Amino acid sequence: MVASEATPFAKTGGLADVMGALPQALNAGGDEVGVVLPRYRGIALEGAQRVYADLTIWLGLAQWKVDIYRTESAGVPYYLVDSPALYDRDGIYGDGDGDYKDNHIRFAVLSQAALAIVRHVWRPDVVHCHDWQAALVPVYIRQLLAADPTFLGLRVLFTIHNLSYQGKFPLEILPEIGMDPRTVSTSALELAGEVNLLKAAIVSADAISTVSEGYAREIQEPELGFALDSFLRARANVLHGILNGVDYGSWSPENDACIAAPYSAGDLAGKQICKHDLLDEVGLPSANMERPLLGIVSRFTNQKGFDLVAEVAGELVAEDLALVALGSGQPEYERMFGDLASAHPDRFAVRVAYDNRLAHKIEAGSDIFLMPSWFEPCGLNQMYSLRYGSVPVVRATGGLDDTIEETTGFKFREYSGAALLETIRTALTAWKDRAAWTSMMRRGMGKDFSWNSSAARYSELYRDLLR
Ligand code: ADP
Ligand code: GLC
């Protein structure tokens, strides 16, 4: 596999959770999976073994020096691509000034390094690439290596975790990713006068998958197709929807080192302790033990539907509820939650941060978990919430619609503040019937979204590709 994030090495969102758990599940099922990842700043090399030194990657006229290190996590080999000029920086994709200007080069080198690993270190049967950062792998194989015996018969599966991040760059960068239009066909890479790496992978990979069945349907329509729907429809016969799983080793209230007390469907007492601890942690008074506590853990982007929260903020504060939000991203949403917290410090709290420990405490300590997403390819937090007995309120889109049922959570379909508000009110009313609410929590806690069955589907897909 090739990707830009994987727990425990580097994480900004759900892709990392998938890359930390799916390979392990596949290996447990008898496959042999290794993961190629940039060695960002902060990824220690102690204990890692250098398996290739001084690899030179040529992209046009520029050469990039790379070392490859092999380390293990949960028994899975991770190949770290070490090139300090490209990856030894504060951020993964960018810093306070926005995305790094050379991201096309940074991830072209990742893709080339993955191909060098295939050539020199370990040749798999299938290369499974994730998102635009690994999108050049199938393009290089098709355009540059088609006659190279090492790559004969090698198949490429490309997984889309989010169609809205496409890796778009001006056409002038083509030579900088080793695809000079004067010497090689670049039409696969071009769309609407730009380089579009996601589109290039969609047309070049042997098969495509995305992270829920619902999203696999949605991205073939204009509404959520982000201008790539026609390319996806053209490949409908090799486009698969495979739901992500949950790593219950990291996300279970029975056994979570981050939370104040363990609990389970059979013994829920610890959940109240967790709620109290969460209130303490974010500085909300204990009086909130008596009202429903809503939790949010999210990247603050348009995708996640916080414009709907902003739309009905005035009505929300009038309800008898408390709310804790953890996230960071677009300034308007950081400000919106910040304003709510300063105006109502007794009931609203926000932490603008990335904080894994607090993310676990919110899953455990809240009564209701809010995900009003505009679109959601899969979404992991709603599945974590089910396991922690924090009843999800979600918009019925993509993976949220596929994983939340009327009996385990609350859904609304229309993308409007009014629909969100009505659904939150329904949940608040339901919360008051403690017996019915507890049954709903228990039903959610009993759902099983472990990786086994999804990993088996990937495994089958790899085998189909090789037939
Ligand atoms: P996405 O990948 O679109 O961000 P997912 O629901 O698939 O959404 O996954 C998000 C993951 O990132 C979850 O593991 C969630 O707990 C984590 N996460 C998101 N924001 C934060 C944050 N501010 N602090 C800690 N963890 C976060
Ligand atoms: C993306 C999507 C999210 C999905 C995650 C892992 O970040 O936004 O819905 O769960 O990838 O596949």
Side-chain angles (χ1 to χ4, degrees), residues 11-15 17 162 251 297-299 303-304 326-328 353-356 359 371 376 379-382 384:
K11 169 166 169 176
T12 68
L15 171 64
D17 297 37
N162 194 325
W251 295 95
V297 178
S298 187
R299 294 180 296 113
Q303 171 191 347
K304 302 294 181 177
L326 166 66
S328 63
Y354 182 87
D355 182 342
N356 182 53
M371 285 180 85
E376 196 61 74
L380 296 168
N381 279 118
Q382 82 280 13
Y384 302 159

Side-chain angles (χ1 to χ4, degrees), residues 120-443:
H120 300 296
V121 182
W122 176 56
R123 188 197 180 283
D125 300 307
V126 175
V127 182
H128 183 171
C129 307
H130 299 263
D131 278 353
W132 74 261
Q133 293 86 357
L136 281 164
V137 169
V139 180
Y140 290 144
I141 291 178
R142 253 174 206 274
Q143 305 291 343
L144 309 178
L145 301 166
D148 186 318
T150 302
F151 295 89
L152 281 182
L154 186 79
R155 298 285 181 250
V156 179
L157 171 63
F158 182 73
T159 296
I160 299 167
H161 293 263
N162 194 325
L163 195 69
S164 74
Y165 299 106
Q166 302 187 349
K168 292 187 196 175
F169 302 95
L171 290 176
E172 294 72 59
I173 64 98
L174 282 168
E176 295 174 26
I177 59 172
M179 296 293 292
D180 192 326
R182 288 169 304 190
T183 55
V184 62
S185 165
T186 57
S187 61
L189 286 153
E190 296 176 27
L191 181 66
E194 286 181 303
V195 172
N196 187 312
L197 297 181
L198 199 64
K199 178 248 172 180
I202 289 168
V203 304
S204 307
D206 294 299
I208 303 157
S209 74
T210 188
V211 288
S212 68
E213 289 185 1
Y215 196 61
R217 286 190 300 274
E218 289 168 353
I219 57 177
Q220 297 183 57
E221 302 295 331
E223 192 187 339
L224 291 181
F226 287 91
L228 298 182
D229 48 297
S230 64
F231 299 100
L232 289 158
R233 282 197 301 280
R235 305 225 60 200
N237 58 330
V238 292
L239 170 58
H240 307 266
I242 303 178
L243 191 72
N244 288 332
V246 173
D247 176 6
Y248 288 120
S250 307
W251 295 95
S252 286
E254 290 87 348
N255 180 19
D256 183 335
C258 300
I259 67 177
Y263 64 94
S264 65
D267 179 3
L268 285 167
K271 189 160 173 75
Q272 287 305 99
I273 301 175
C274 291
K275 181 171 177 178
H276 203 274
D277 171 65
L278 173 59
L279 292 172
D280 266 1
E281 174 94 18
V282 298
L284 289 178
S286 316
N288 289 301
M289 290 300 289
E290 306 309 320
R291 43 175 82 95
L293 177 60
L294 277 64
I296 291 173
V297 178
S298 187
R299 294 180 296 113
F300 289 166
T301 65
N302 287 339
Q303 171 191 347
K304 302 294 181 177
F306 298 123
D307 50 334
L308 301 188
V309 175
E311 204 181 309
V312 297
E315 286 88 346
L316 275 184
V317 299
E319 295 292 332
D320 190 23
L321 59 78
L323 185 144
V324 179
L326 166 66
S328 63
Q330 286 173 231
E332 64 266 39
Y333 301 126
E334 295 184 355
R335 212 175 309 123
M336 187 250 315
F337 284 115
D339 289 349
L340 278 174
S342 1
H344 304 276
D346 55 328
R347 292 187 298 124
F348 287 73
V350 62
R351 289 288 174 275
V352 174
Y354 182 87
D355 182 342
N356 182 53
R357 195 173 135 271
L358 185 56
H360 283 252
K361 283 178 181 280
I362 292 176
E363 290 291 359
S366 46
D367 298 295
I368 293 172
F369 196 90
L370 195 56
M371 285 180 85
S373 304
W374 166 35
F375 64 93
E376 196 61 74
C378 177
L380 296 168
N381 279 118
Q382 82 280 13
M383 295 193 273
Y384 302 159
S385 300
L386 287 176
R387 181 51 60 108
Y388 282 79
S390 300
V391 175
V393 169
V394 304
R395 177 152 179 273
T397 182
L400 295 175
D401 199 15
D402 287 3
T403 53
I404 304 304
E405 301 160 52
E406 307 299 331
T407 55
T408 56
F410 299 88
K411 301 203 254 195
F412 63 101
R413 205 158 286 274
E414 184 189 285
Y415 192 73
S416 72
L420 168 65
L421 184 63
E422 189 189 321
T423 311
I424 291 178
R425 283 181 174 150
T426 307
L428 296 177
T429 306
W431 182 82
K432 292 189 184 128
D433 181 344
R434 302 306 300 150
W437 186 267
T438 306
S439 311
M440 193 172 203
M441 286 168 61
R442 289 211 167 100
R443 274 193 299 275

